[in-house]
Amino acid sequence: MATSTTGHAIVIGGGIIGLATCFEFQDAGFEVTLIDPDPISGATHHAGGMLAPTAEVQYQQQALVPLMKESARLYPDLIQRVTQHTDLPTGYRTDGTVLIGADRADAQHLSELIDYIKAEDLDIETLTTRQARQLEPALSPRIAKAAAIDGDHQLDPRLFARALFDAVLARGAQHVRETVSTITQSTTHQSVTLSSGARIEVDSSDVTVLAAGLGAAKITGWFDGEHPLQLRPVYGDVLRVRVPESLQPLTTRVIRGFVEDRPIYVIPRDDGTVTIGATSREDQPHPRTSAIHDLLRDAIRVVPGLEETEFLEATCGARPGTPDDLPYLGQVRDNLIVSTGYFRHGILLAALGARTAVQLATGQQTSQAVASCDPFRHATSTLNV
């Protein structure tokens, strides 16, 4: 992305959304200030990292499909540009995904999902279980159904976020290690107040991007009445294991599917580790023993060799959910853009969210699909002027 526009962009939030936004503003010729006390420590740290618009399709969430497809299309170029400014790895892989159903009921679930995916004009290939095991010999011989998605890619969120952060700093971004308490907005002036009480004045020609994930719900001052961003934490457990050298690579593709109707994913990494996940709940912000047990049991049911791996880590991340599971992405003032609420699609949608923020700030046309992400669609009050 290249324009002749220059200015100053203040990006609040140092997860993958905020970091990608910083990078895109720099590519557009802006000076950038990133405000975050501890970048890459929130939802990004606990994410799976699947760039999978096909496998991520959910029933009755058609508005998400064009967003996911567009962002996945943007990712290869974003990654290529980032690697021009850092030597750090991204963990980007294009091996694809294998979907499986563990038993007969899961096979029926998968069959219905395949039909739904095809109806959304997405590519998926039904496989026999023998074909699936030829692609991935470590798959259990007991699986009941399988399909392949070659267009679904992945990256390692922690690695890519660090690469983004390194690239952004190398290009001269200022990093302010604080939180933001308020954004004071009037028709002619804006100021960002930090937790220390210090203020950053924003000129009318500059832009502020509120990309603080769940933290965006705590930042006030730019609206009347109740907070317009109805964000809620949705927790997900993520496990990491290390594959013995004698078994590497255990799989090359991402393995996703259903075991007794429970979703599971198994993600191979370049460093010989595997990430396991797929839980989702709203009641406990810590790794739950029962969830860890279920994930390990189901992952081993699908890929039995995981039983031989070294257990490394169990973490639990809070993803910013919205009432309709669509992000809040849009311009709420001439120099204030909201980009948060990406729920479980934050990694995948980061490329689109970052590009859209620059397009909004520079008066360019955005994707029609972004119209469904209006930050004020759940608001009960008007903007504070």
Side-chain angles (χ1 to χ4, degrees):
M1 183 183 301
T3 72
S4 59
T5 303
T6 58
H8 183 201
I10 298 170
V11 179
I12 304 169
I16 196 167
I17 301 296
L19 292 171
T21 300
C22 287
F23 184 84
E24 292 290 25
F25 270 104
Q26 288 176 320
D27 254 20
F30 282 70
E31 294 181 357
V32 166
T33 297
L34 170 66
I35 305 177
D36 191 300
D38 190 14
I40 321 174
S41 62
T44 298
H45 181 77
H46 309 277
M50 292 166 289
L51 308 178
T54 302
E56 287 288 338
V57 165
Q58 301 286 317
Y59 294 111
Q60 299 182 336
Q61 291 191 346
Q62 286 88 348
L64 269 170
V65 174
L67 297 170
M68 296 191 295
K69 290 171 65 174
E70 176 67 9
S71 198
R73 185 186 67 82
L74 295 173
Y75 246 109
D77 176 67
L78 172 61
I79 290 170
Q80 190 273 332
R81 285 184 287 122
V82 170
T83 56
Q84 292 177 354
H85 299 278
T86 179
D87 294 328
L88 296 180
T90 64
Y92 180 56
R93 297 177 57 157
T94 60
D95 305 281
T97 300
V98 172
L99 292 178
I100 64 92
D103 59 25
R104 285 187 179 182
D106 296 321
Q108 180 61 35
H109 185 168
L110 182 55
S111 293
E112 294 169 357
L113 179 60
I114 290 170
D115 291 341
Y116 188 77
I117 287 172
K118 289 180 176 179
E120 293 292 336
D121 196 28
L122 293 162
D123 293 331
I124 186 169
E125 178 187 3
T126 302
L127 303 175
T128 65
T129 57
R130 181 178 181 180
Q131 288 172 325
R133 296 193 69 234
Q134 286 174 336
L135 288 177
E136 294 293 344
L139 282 172
S140 168
R142 297 166 54 206
I143 62 173
K145 192 174 184 61
I149 306 171
D150 290 336
D152 281 359
H153 301 164
Q154 62 136 311
L155 52 76
D156 186 321
R158 298 180 188 181
L159 293 184
F160 184 55
R162 291 185 193 119
L164 272 170
F165 191 34
D166 186 63
V168 165
L169 294 179
R171 301 172 84 184
Q174 179 185 2
H175 179 203
V176 178
R177 292 184 177 275
E178 293 198 48
T179 58
V180 171
S181 59
T182 60
I183 301 174
T184 304
Q185 185 80 50
S186 70
T187 55
T188 60
H189 183 72
Q190 180 191 103
S191 64
V192 176
T193 303
L194 305 177
S195 53
S196 64
R199 299 176 67 172
I200 299 175
E201 305 299 327
V202 183
D203 294 338
S204 59
S205 60
D206 297 334
V207 62
T208 300
V209 182
L210 181 52
L214 283 167
K218 300 178 182 179
I219 298 173
T220 61
W222 54 277
F223 54 87
D224 285 328
E226 296 183 2
H227 206 298
L229 306 182
Q230 296 185 23
L231 297 168
R232 72 188 194 282
V234 184
Y235 304 105
D237 302 284
V238 175
L239 314 181
R240 289 177 63 243
V241 298
R242 186 181 306 282
V243 179
E245 189 171 345
S246 61
L247 294 179
Q248 293 185 21
L250 189 59
T251 70
T252 57
R253 294 163 181 82
V254 174
I255 310 299
R256 302 182 63 147
F258 308 97
V259 178
E260 297 179 7
D261 211 36
R262 293 182 297 271
I264 186 72
Y265 59 70
V266 176
I267 311 172
R269 304 294 195 197
D270 290 339
D271 62 357
T273 64
V274 171
T275 297
I276 301 167
T279 62
S280 184
R281 63 175 186 277
E282 301 187 27
D283 61 347
Q284 183 177 323
H286 306 289
R288 177 183 283 173
T289 304
S290 61
I292 295 170
H293 171 267
D294 288 347
L295 287 173
L296 289 174
R297 179 194 59 207
D298 293 347
I300 291 169
R301 167 70 173 83
V302 172
V303 183
L306 287 169
E307 199 167 30
E308 305 300 323
T309 59
E310 172 192 356
F311 188 84
L312 297 177
E313 179 184 56
T315 68
C316 181
R319 298 161 291 194
T322 66
D324 54 12
D325 294 339
L326 288 168
Y328 292 126
L329 176 60
Q331 191 163 9
V332 296
R333 297 287 299 186
D334 289 342
N335 56 350
L336 179 59
I337 294 166
V338 169
S339 182
T340 188
Y342 288 85
F343 188 32
R344 55 196 297 271
H345 306 294
I347 305 299
L348 171 56
L349 294 181
L352 178 62
R355 187 191 67 165
T356 299
V358 173
Q359 290 173 329
L360 291 168
T362 56
Q364 300 177 59
Q365 185 174 357
T366 62
S367 169
Q368 291 183 349
V370 174
S372 63
C373 303
D374 178 11
F376 279 87
R377 66 186 182 275
H378 301 131
T380 58
S381 55
T382 58
L383 195 67
N384 182 5
V385 298

